[in-house]
Amino acid sequence: MRKRLVVLTGAGISAESGIKTFRDGDGLWEGHNVMDVATPEGWIRNPELVLDFYNKRRQQLKEVTPNLGHEILAELEAHFDVFVITQNVDDLHERAGSKNVLHLHGELLKVRSTTNPNHILDWTEDLNTGDFDAQKNQLRPHIVWFGEEVPALDEAIAITKTADYFAVIGTSLQVYPAAGLIDFTHPEVPVFYIDPKPIRIPNLRNPLEVIPEIASEGMKRLKKMLIAGI
Protein backbone atom coordinates (compact mmCIF):
# COMPACT_ATOMS: atom_id res chain seq x y z
CA MET A 1 0.00 0.00 0.00
CA ARG A 2 1.13 3.54 -0.71
CA LYS A 3 2.01 5.74 2.23
CA ARG A 4 -0.37 8.49 3.24
CA LEU A 5 0.71 12.13 3.22
CA VAL A 6 -1.60 14.38 5.21
CA VAL A 7 -1.11 18.09 4.63
CA LEU A 8 -2.43 21.03 6.64
CA THR A 9 -2.42 24.19 4.54
CA GLY A 10 -3.07 27.81 5.42
CA ALA A 11 -3.18 31.23 3.85
CA GLY A 12 0.52 31.17 2.94
CA ILE A 13 0.01 28.68 0.12
CA SER A 14 -2.67 30.86 -1.50
CA ALA A 15 -0.83 34.14 -0.92
CA GLU A 16 1.41 33.44 -3.92
CA SER A 17 -1.72 33.38 -6.08
CA GLY A 18 -2.61 36.89 -4.91
CA ILE A 19 -5.06 36.09 -2.13
CA LYS A 20 -4.26 38.26 0.86
CA THR A 21 -4.21 37.15 4.46
CA PHE A 22 -4.95 39.45 7.37
CA ARG A 23 -2.37 37.62 9.50
CA ASP A 24 0.42 39.16 7.44
CA GLY A 25 -0.61 42.64 8.54
CA ASP A 26 -2.42 44.49 11.27
CA GLY A 27 -5.56 42.42 11.73
CA LEU A 28 -7.23 43.82 8.63
CA TRP A 29 -8.50 41.53 5.91
CA GLU A 30 -8.73 43.37 2.59
CA GLY A 31 -9.09 46.62 4.56
CA HIS A 32 -11.76 45.32 6.94
CA ASN A 33 -11.55 44.49 10.62
CA VAL A 34 -12.04 40.73 10.78
CA MET A 35 -14.47 41.16 13.67
CA ASP A 36 -16.79 43.04 11.31
CA VAL A 37 -16.77 40.52 8.46
CA ALA A 38 -15.85 37.16 9.99
CA THR A 39 -17.92 36.80 13.16
CA PRO A 40 -21.57 36.00 13.89
CA GLU A 41 -21.78 39.34 15.68
CA GLY A 42 -20.58 41.17 12.57
CA TRP A 43 -23.25 39.38 10.53
CA ILE A 44 -25.98 40.43 12.97
CA ARG A 45 -24.75 44.04 13.06
CA ASN A 46 -24.34 44.56 9.35
CA PRO A 47 -25.24 41.66 7.06
CA GLU A 48 -25.00 43.90 3.99
CA LEU A 49 -21.33 44.60 4.75
CA VAL A 50 -20.62 40.91 5.25
CA LEU A 51 -22.38 39.91 2.03
CA ASP A 52 -20.53 42.58 0.08
CA PHE A 53 -17.21 41.50 1.55
CA TYR A 54 -17.63 37.87 0.52
CA ASN A 55 -19.07 38.82 -2.86
CA LYS A 56 -15.83 40.68 -3.57
CA ARG A 57 -13.75 37.72 -2.32
CA ARG A 58 -15.77 35.41 -4.57
CA GLN A 59 -15.16 37.63 -7.59
CA GLN A 60 -11.46 37.90 -6.71
CA LEU A 61 -11.23 34.13 -6.65
CA LYS A 62 -12.26 34.02 -10.31
CA GLU A 63 -9.28 36.19 -11.19
CA VAL A 64 -6.54 34.10 -9.57
CA THR A 65 -5.07 30.72 -10.42
CA PRO A 66 -3.33 27.94 -8.48
CA ASN A 67 0.40 28.43 -8.02
CA LEU A 68 3.32 26.02 -8.06
CA GLY A 69 2.78 25.09 -4.41
CA HIS A 70 -0.75 23.87 -5.15
CA GLU A 71 0.43 22.11 -8.31
CA ILE A 72 3.29 20.19 -6.68
CA LEU A 73 0.97 19.06 -3.90
CA ALA A 74 -1.42 17.68 -6.52
CA GLU A 75 1.49 16.01 -8.36
CA LEU A 76 2.42 14.10 -5.20
CA GLU A 77 -0.76 12.06 -5.65
CA ALA A 78 1.18 10.08 -8.25
CA HIS A 79 3.37 8.76 -5.43
CA PHE A 80 1.32 8.96 -2.23
CA ASP A 81 -2.17 8.74 -0.86
CA VAL A 82 -2.50 12.51 -0.30
CA PHE A 83 -5.16 14.19 1.83
CA VAL A 84 -5.25 17.96 2.12
CA ILE A 85 -6.81 19.56 5.18
CA THR A 86 -7.01 23.27 4.46
CA GLN A 87 -7.86 26.33 6.49
CA ASN A 88 -8.39 28.19 3.21
CA VAL A 89 -11.85 28.90 1.82
CA ASP A 90 -10.70 29.13 -1.82
CA ASP A 91 -10.85 26.27 -4.33
CA LEU A 92 -7.24 26.50 -5.55
CA HIS A 93 -6.30 23.03 -4.30
CA GLU A 94 -9.14 21.49 -6.27
CA ARG A 95 -8.34 23.52 -9.36
CA ALA A 96 -4.71 22.39 -9.17
CA GLY A 97 -5.88 18.77 -9.22
CA SER A 98 -5.92 17.67 -5.58
CA LYS A 99 -8.68 15.08 -5.22
CA ASN A 100 -9.02 14.75 -1.45
CA VAL A 101 -9.54 18.17 0.12
CA LEU A 102 -11.25 18.90 3.43
CA HIS A 103 -12.10 22.55 4.13
CA LEU A 104 -11.97 23.24 7.86
CA HIS A 105 -13.23 26.81 7.64
CA GLY A 106 -15.84 26.50 4.90
CA GLU A 107 -15.84 27.30 1.21
CA LEU A 108 -16.20 30.61 -0.56
CA LEU A 109 -18.07 29.02 -3.46
CA LYS A 110 -20.82 27.66 -1.25
CA VAL A 111 -23.59 29.23 0.84
CA ARG A 112 -25.86 27.83 3.50
CA SER A 113 -29.14 28.47 5.24
CA THR A 114 -29.05 30.73 8.29
CA THR A 115 -31.33 28.28 10.12
CA ASN A 116 -30.12 24.89 8.85
CA PRO A 117 -26.31 24.61 8.68
CA ASN A 118 -26.60 21.35 6.75
CA HIS A 119 -28.51 23.01 3.91
CA ILE A 120 -25.53 23.93 1.70
CA LEU A 121 -25.63 25.13 -1.90
CA ASP A 122 -22.97 25.71 -4.56
CA TRP A 123 -22.77 29.45 -5.28
CA THR A 124 -20.51 31.23 -7.75
CA GLU A 125 -22.16 34.65 -8.11
CA ASP A 126 -23.07 37.43 -5.68
CA LEU A 127 -25.13 36.56 -2.61
CA ASN A 128 -27.63 39.26 -1.68
CA THR A 129 -30.26 40.08 0.91
CA GLY A 130 -33.39 38.26 -0.20
CA ASP A 131 -31.58 35.16 -1.47
CA PHE A 132 -33.46 32.46 0.43
CA ASP A 133 -33.50 28.72 0.91
CA ALA A 134 -36.66 26.76 0.08
CA GLN A 135 -38.17 27.70 3.46
CA LYS A 136 -37.59 31.43 2.85
CA ASN A 137 -34.64 31.69 5.22
CA GLN A 138 -31.82 34.04 4.26
CA LEU A 139 -28.69 32.38 2.90
CA ARG A 140 -25.26 33.26 4.32
CA PRO A 141 -21.67 32.53 3.27
CA HIS A 142 -20.63 28.95 4.01
CA ILE A 143 -17.72 30.16 6.14
CA VAL A 144 -16.77 29.15 9.67
CA TRP A 145 -16.51 32.49 11.42
CA PHE A 146 -14.55 33.22 14.57
CA GLY A 147 -16.49 31.93 17.55
CA GLU A 148 -18.28 29.21 15.57
CA GLU A 149 -17.72 25.47 15.84
CA VAL A 150 -15.65 23.70 13.19
CA PRO A 151 -17.94 20.93 11.88
CA ALA A 152 -15.17 19.17 9.93
CA LEU A 153 -12.80 18.92 12.90
CA ASP A 154 -13.60 15.33 13.87
CA GLU A 155 -13.05 14.18 10.30
CA ALA A 156 -9.78 16.11 10.15
CA ILE A 157 -8.57 14.46 13.37
CA ALA A 158 -9.45 11.01 12.03
CA ILE A 159 -7.52 11.70 8.81
CA THR A 160 -4.52 13.06 10.71
CA LYS A 161 -4.29 9.89 12.77
CA THR A 162 -3.76 7.88 9.55
CA ALA A 163 -0.75 9.90 8.36
CA ASP A 164 2.58 8.30 7.50
CA TYR A 165 3.91 11.79 6.79
CA PHE A 166 2.43 15.07 7.98
CA ALA A 167 3.19 18.43 6.37
CA VAL A 168 2.26 21.94 7.47
CA ILE A 169 2.35 24.51 4.69
CA GLY A 170 1.83 28.25 4.96
CA THR A 171 -0.01 28.46 8.25
CA SER A 172 0.89 30.40 11.37
CA LEU A 173 -0.08 27.45 13.61
CA GLN A 174 -1.86 29.98 15.79
CA VAL A 175 -5.47 29.40 14.70
CA TYR A 176 -7.12 26.73 16.81
CA PRO A 177 -8.45 24.12 16.65
CA ALA A 178 -6.68 23.62 13.29
CA ALA A 179 -3.23 24.20 14.79
CA GLY A 180 -3.86 21.39 17.26
CA LEU A 181 -4.19 18.74 14.56
CA ILE A 182 -0.46 18.12 14.63
CA ASP A 183 -0.90 16.66 18.13
CA PHE A 184 -2.99 13.81 16.70
CA THR A 185 -0.16 12.41 14.58
CA HIS A 186 1.56 9.28 15.82
CA PRO A 187 4.88 10.17 17.52
CA GLU A 188 6.99 8.37 14.90
CA VAL A 189 5.42 10.24 11.96
CA PRO A 190 7.82 12.75 10.35
CA VAL A 191 6.52 16.32 10.29
CA PHE A 192 7.55 18.81 7.60
CA TYR A 193 6.94 22.49 8.33
CA ILE A 194 7.08 24.92 5.38
CA ASP A 195 6.81 28.61 6.21
CA PRO A 196 9.07 31.63 5.56
CA LYS A 197 8.64 32.66 9.20
CA PRO A 198 8.35 29.38 11.09
CA ILE A 199 7.48 29.47 14.76
CA ARG A 200 8.67 27.07 17.42
CA ILE A 201 6.30 24.13 17.85
CA PRO A 202 6.17 23.39 21.59
CA ASN A 203 6.03 19.84 22.94
CA LEU A 204 6.25 18.23 19.50
CA ARG A 205 7.01 14.53 19.86
CA ASN A 206 7.66 13.90 16.17
CA PRO A 207 10.77 14.09 14.01
CA LEU A 208 10.64 17.62 12.54
CA GLU A 209 12.06 19.07 9.33
CA VAL A 210 11.67 22.86 9.10
CA ILE A 211 11.78 24.35 5.59
CA PRO A 212 11.88 28.16 5.98
CA GLU A 213 10.66 28.96 2.46
CA ILE A 214 7.57 30.27 0.76
CA ALA A 215 5.16 27.51 -0.18
CA SER A 216 6.22 27.01 -3.81
CA GLU A 217 9.95 26.79 -3.00
CA GLY A 218 9.34 24.67 0.07
CA MET A 219 7.16 22.26 -1.88
CA LYS A 220 10.00 21.68 -4.37
CA ARG A 221 12.24 20.57 -1.51
CA LEU A 222 9.53 18.52 0.14
CA LYS A 223 8.75 16.65 -3.06
CA LYS A 224 12.41 15.69 -3.49
CA MET A 225 12.74 14.53 0.11
CA LEU A 226 9.56 12.47 0.09
CA ILE A 227 10.19 10.78 -3.24
CA ALA A 228 13.79 10.01 -2.26
CA GLY A 229 12.41 8.24 0.81
CA ILE A 230 10.03 5.95 -1.09
Side-chain angles (χ1 to χ4, degrees):
M1 292 180 63
R2 298 198 304 176
K3 291 190 174 181
R4 171 166 283 198
L5 169 64
V6 177
V7 184
L8 174 64
T9 68
I13 196 169
S14 292
E16 292 179 64
S17 292
I19 296 180
K20 295 181 181 178
T21 165
F22 69 87
R23 293 199 176 272
D24 286 338
D26 54 4
L28 298 180
W29 186 8
E30 297 284 0
H32 292 272
N33 186 312
V34 294
M35 295 299 104
D36 292 333
V37 295
T39 63
E41 294 79 12
W43 170 254
I44 292 169
R45 281 196 308 268
N46 194 341
E48 291 287 349
L49 173 66
V50 176
L51 290 173
D52 180 66
F53 178 81
Y54 288 100
N55 286 342
K56 288 177 178 175
R57 304 289 75 73
R58 204 175 293 111
Q59 292 304 314
Q60 178 193 50
L61 187 54
K62 297 178 181 180
E63 300 169 0
V64 301
T65 57
N67 61 62
L68 186 59
H70 296 106
E71 292 167 357
I72 293 175
L73 189 50
E75 290 168 3
L76 284 170
E77 293 189 10
H79 307 278
F80 300 92
D81 177 17
V82 181
F83 210 111
V84 180
I85 302 169
T86 186
Q87 297 170 262
N88 301 333
V89 297
D90 60 64
D91 66 339
L92 296 180
H93 282 302
E94 289 91 339
R95 283 158 58 185
S98 288
K99 296 181 178 65
N100 301 310
V101 183
L102 179 67
H103 289 266
L104 279 179
H105 296 159
E107 297 180 62
L108 195 54
L109 297 182
K110 292 184 178 180
V111 300
R112 71 173 187 255
S113 170
T114 50
T115 60
N116 180 3
N118 296 316
H119 184 74
I120 301 167
L121 302 170
D122 293 329
W123 204 274
T124 58
E125 302 303 324
D126 285 355
L127 178 65
N128 301 302
T129 300
D131 287 328
F132 298 133
D133 64 14
Q135 286 72 45
K136 300 299 182 182
N137 300 302
Q138 175 66 40
L139 296 169
R140 55 160 276 183
H142 181 48
I143 304 294
V144 177
W145 289 326
F146 290 100
E148 293 185 321
E149 293 185 359
V150 180
L153 182 61
D154 287 345
E155 184 178 356
I157 289 172
I159 292 165
T160 299
K161 289 180 177 178
T162 69
D164 295 301
Y165 302 104
F166 189 80
V168 178
I169 306 171
T171 172
S172 64
L173 288 176
Q174 295 178 24
V175 177
Y176 285 84
L181 285 175
I182 198 170
D183 296 328
F184 290 93
T185 57
H186 291 287
E188 72 279 3
V189 169
V191 171
F192 303 88
Y193 178 24
I194 300 172
D195 196 277
K197 298 178 181 178
I199 66 166
R200 177 179 171 273
I201 305 176
N203 304 317
L204 183 66
R205 307 158 299 168
N206 309 63
L208 175 65
E209 179 78 33
V210 178
I211 304 175
E213 305 274 5
I214 60 174
S216 58
E217 293 301 317
M219 284 303 300
K220 292 178 186 177
R221 289 177 54 184
L222 179 60
K223 182 179 179 180
K224 289 179 181 178
M225 284 189 287
L226 289 177
I227 291 179
I230 293 177

